[in-house]
Amino acid sequence: MNGGIRGRVHDFLRSAIAAALRLAGIGAGLRLRLRLRFRHRTEARLRQRYRITADTPLTRDLPAPADGAPLAITSGTAGSPRQVAYPRNRLRAVRRTFEDAMLRLIAAHRIRRPSLYVFGPLRPDRSLTRLLVAEPRPPPGFVLLQAPYRAQSDPAILRLADEYGDAALRLLLLTLSNPGILYATNPSTLSTFFDELDADWERASALARTVSRSPPALDPAALRILRRLRSTGDSGRLARLAASPAPLPITAWAPAAAICVCWTGGAVRPFLDRLDRRLPAPRFCRIPMFSMSTETVETIPDFRGPEPAFLPFAPGVLHEFLDQQAANPRLLSSGELQPGGIYEMVVSHRFGLTRYATGDLFRVARLTASGPDLRFARRRLLGWSFTGEKITAQQVGSAFDAVDAAWPGLRTAFWLALFPEDPGAPARPGYRLAAVGRGPESAGAQALPPGLEGQLDALLSEQNPEYRAKRESGRLGPIRLAQPSLVEFVRRASGERAASPDSQFKFQPFYPRQWEAE
């Protein structure tokens, strides 16, 4: 069977799969309506099941992971990443929540080509995303028609990433399969992929050139997998990539892509801004994903209205809340939340959490017929202290606001972030200011003001007397400036050096994580 016929046959099968998924999505939507109708009974039953009473204490400590269970690490926004056990039944429960949400999205938006490419880690790391996408063996061919990213579980395909680079492999798989939905737990993953294409197009397009011009040069095992991904017009798209001396937009190599699903809460706005230029509306539709921490699913999406609502009714999870605006906060149920309020989520579930305070703060955007629509606001505490100075994220944010007022437009041209840094003897520990340019269009628009790091040092000293005392005594060194590229920044700020930044990275004004020296 030649490539053109194979691609048309694959697309016919994709259409049949899409029809089945839309029907399944309608069924999932009906099940959600039923669950929401009886949510109060469900909450009462969960209280009884988990033995939650008025006297049950609140905790911020995770239970010790069971021996032998796979471990996921937290994203590290609270300082040191913590380990969470994920046995198979827990992984299955999270996958079901994700699959249920995707099915309802497909039905609600009547997505005609719901083939899905997930921007997850390509190599083993300790993230929950990696545990969710890891497979003991490559999936059968029909599965790849709907989920082409799962080809990345095949060792022959991963060897292509080792030889050509991750961006080159992703570009090839997207071009061959032409998916309709792009999914990234964190938009930084997708944004960084586009940046890598721009930064080194010659390398990023090398694998596509090889497949287009001399496929026999590839491992036959890899070629067999790649043939299972083919779609209508893929040969022409590959030829355009191979012939282009400069990066091509996504519409040239994945023209069916129309939906981008990613996390939009918290501190990811810089990457959403970049994606808006890569995937502009109305040609592309961006759908926020539900809130989830490594410890628990926090909200589930309801797509029935003109915009999605995110409800605190994750399956098997009892949600309670602490009012952050009350002088003496008490635990509230979901039915007691008020529009505009800021609440810390407290969860209990069968995998070991009992009235666990997550540290995640949510704002009630509105009240719907189904319950409160929760939008992630921020982490409760983000701070660092080398020697008693106790720098907080709020202090850093206020200092950055003052810097921006002194030099208008600075934060339009640059993203600013502060890290603790211990360069080792004989230098003193202190803080590193990273200034990341917002892209080629702004690189030359404005230079950094002279003495920016000294000005920030002075502002923090005004806000934090302990910081000022430690600077004056010489126990802390001055703030040091770095101007990394965005790709370098993501790589260096993403936690453990061996871990992938694909799902863990978050752009924040302050990172309570040490800046890693080269």
Side-chain angles (χ1 to χ4, degrees):
M1 185 183 295
N2 67 45
I5 297 176
R6 184 189 297 269
R8 288 192 290 274
V9 169
H10 285 176
D11 278 351
F12 174 78
L13 295 174
R14 287 185 177 102
S15 297
I17 293 172
L21 292 177
R22 286 193 291 271
L23 286 175
I26 293 172
L30 293 174
R31 288 194 301 272
L32 178 63
R33 289 189 183 193
L34 190 63
R35 284 181 50 221
L36 293 176
R37 182 175 181 180
F38 296 102
R39 65 182 183 272
H40 299 299
R41 293 185 190 177
T42 301
E43 288 180 343
R45 188 166 58 249
L46 290 176
R47 287 180 184 276
Q48 185 176 20
R49 179 181 177 184
Y50 303 144
R51 301 179 181 178
I52 303 298
T53 68
D55 298 326
T56 303
L58 202 70
T59 181
R60 297 189 182 276
D61 297 322
L62 287 172
D67 293 339
L71 298 177
I73 62 170
T74 67
S75 60
T77 53
S80 300
R82 291 174 291 173
Q83 298 180 338
V84 181
Y86 264 88
R88 283 183 293 180
N89 60 338
R90 189 171 186 177
L91 283 172
R92 281 196 300 268
V94 175
R95 288 194 187 103
R96 283 197 297 268
T97 300
F98 173 82
E99 291 164 359
D100 176 79
M102 292 303 298
L103 287 173
R104 290 187 287 105
L105 170 65
I106 290 167
H109 286 259
R110 298 185 176 91
I111 299 175
R112 301 188 60 178
R113 191 180 179 91
S115 53
L116 172 69
Y117 185 88
V118 174
F119 283 77
L122 294 182
R123 296 170 186 81
D125 64 16
R126 300 179 64 194
S127 69
L128 176 56
T129 300
R130 178 63 190 182
L131 288 178
L132 291 171
V133 301
E135 299 184 76
R137 63 187 65 86
F142 75 90
V143 172
L144 299 182
L145 296 177
Q146 164 59 24
Y149 72 94
R150 294 176 66 178
Q152 295 162 179
S153 64
D154 192 287
I157 296 297
L158 285 178
R159 285 194 291 271
L160 295 179
D162 294 336
E163 182 178 356
Y164 291 90
D166 294 359
L169 176 62
R170 294 190 192 279
L171 179 62
L172 175 65
L173 299 185
L174 288 163
T175 303
L176 287 174
S177 60
N178 193 21
I181 305 175
L182 307 178
Y183 177 93
T185 300
N186 195 297
S188 64
T189 308
L190 185 51
S191 174
T192 301
F193 165 69
F194 284 118
D195 289 339
E196 289 173 342
L197 298 186
D198 285 349
D200 194 350
W201 175 251
E202 182 71 17
R203 173 174 167 77
S205 60
L207 181 54
R209 284 196 300 275
T210 300
V211 173
S212 178
R213 295 172 179 175
S214 53
L218 296 178
D219 181 351
L223 282 175
R224 284 195 296 272
I225 299 295
L226 295 178
R227 290 191 189 104
R228 298 175 186 173
L229 303 178
R230 301 199 65 167
S231 59
T232 304
D234 60 353
S235 295
R237 296 193 297 273
L238 283 172
R240 287 194 292 277
L241 286 179
S244 177
L248 295 176
I250 187 174
T251 50
W253 38 270
I259 303 287
C260 174
V261 182
C262 66
W263 172 241
T264 61
V268 299
R269 172 52 56 187
F271 297 102
L272 296 177
D273 292 342
R274 296 177 76 85
L275 287 181
D276 284 342
R277 298 195 293 270
R278 309 286 193 174
L279 306 172
R283 168 65 177 79
F284 295 90
C285 176
R286 184 169 68 220
I287 306 294
M289 70 168 286
F290 56 86
S291 296
M292 180 174 177
S293 68
T294 305
E295 297 91 332
T296 185
V297 178
E298 296 181 314
T299 63
I300 57 171
D302 184 356
F303 298 109
R304 288 177 294 169
E307 63 173 304
F310 296 90
L311 310 174
F313 306 123
V317 181
L318 176 64
H319 299 82
E320 298 175 290
F321 300 89
L322 287 170
D323 186 352
Q324 296 300 297
Q325 297 162 314
N328 297 301
R330 63 182 181 88
L331 281 169
L332 306 174
S333 68
S334 60
E336 296 177 280
L337 306 188
Q338 298 298 318
I342 302 290
Y343 303 91
E344 180 181 5
M345 183 176 287
V346 177
V347 298
S348 303
H349 63 47
R350 65 188 176 100
F351 298 110
L353 298 185
T354 302
R355 273 200 172 154
Y356 173 73
T358 63
D360 290 338
L361 304 186
F362 289 83
R363 176 180 57 85
V364 180
R366 55 183 172 141
L367 296 180
T368 72
S370 300
D373 180 6
L374 301 184
R375 304 302 169 100
F376 179 82
R378 63 186 186 277
R379 289 285 295 177
R380 177 174 169 269
L381 294 174
L382 285 175
W384 181 276
S385 184
F386 275 114
T387 178
E389 72 276 13
K390 298 183 179 67
I391 291 291
T392 69
Q394 183 177 5
Q395 291 169 350
V396 174
S398 297
F400 281 164
D401 289 342
V403 165
D404 194 43
W407 288 290
L410 175 63
R411 297 177 79 181
T412 302
F414 294 92
W415 291 309
L416 303 178
L418 195 70
F419 294 78
E421 179 185 39
D422 185 1
R428 293 165 293 169
Y431 292 84
R432 172 76 70 163
L433 172 63
V436 185
R438 284 182 176 263
E441 67 277 8
S442 63
Q446 179 172 338
L448 283 173
L452 173 63
E453 59 271 38
Q455 179 68 17
L456 183 62
D457 209 351
L459 288 166
L460 286 177
S461 294
E462 290 177 8
Q463 293 190 61
N464 187 322
E466 288 294 329
Y467 178 80
R468 181 175 65 248
K470 301 306 188 290
R471 285 285 293 113
E472 291 174 349
S473 69
R475 294 171 66 181
L476 286 178
I479 292 176
R480 303 170 181 89
L481 176 67
Q483 289 187 257
S485 68
L486 182 60
V487 173
E488 180 190 2
F489 180 86
V490 171
R491 177 178 61 82
R492 297 183 62 170
S494 58
E496 296 186 7
R497 295 302 296 269
S500 165
D502 283 346
S503 62
Q504 300 291 338
F505 180 71
K506 298 176 177 67
F507 196 108
Q508 303 170 159
F510 182 55
Y511 290 83
R513 173 191 298 141
Q514 288 209 44
W515 178 265
E516 295 190 14
E518 290 290 83

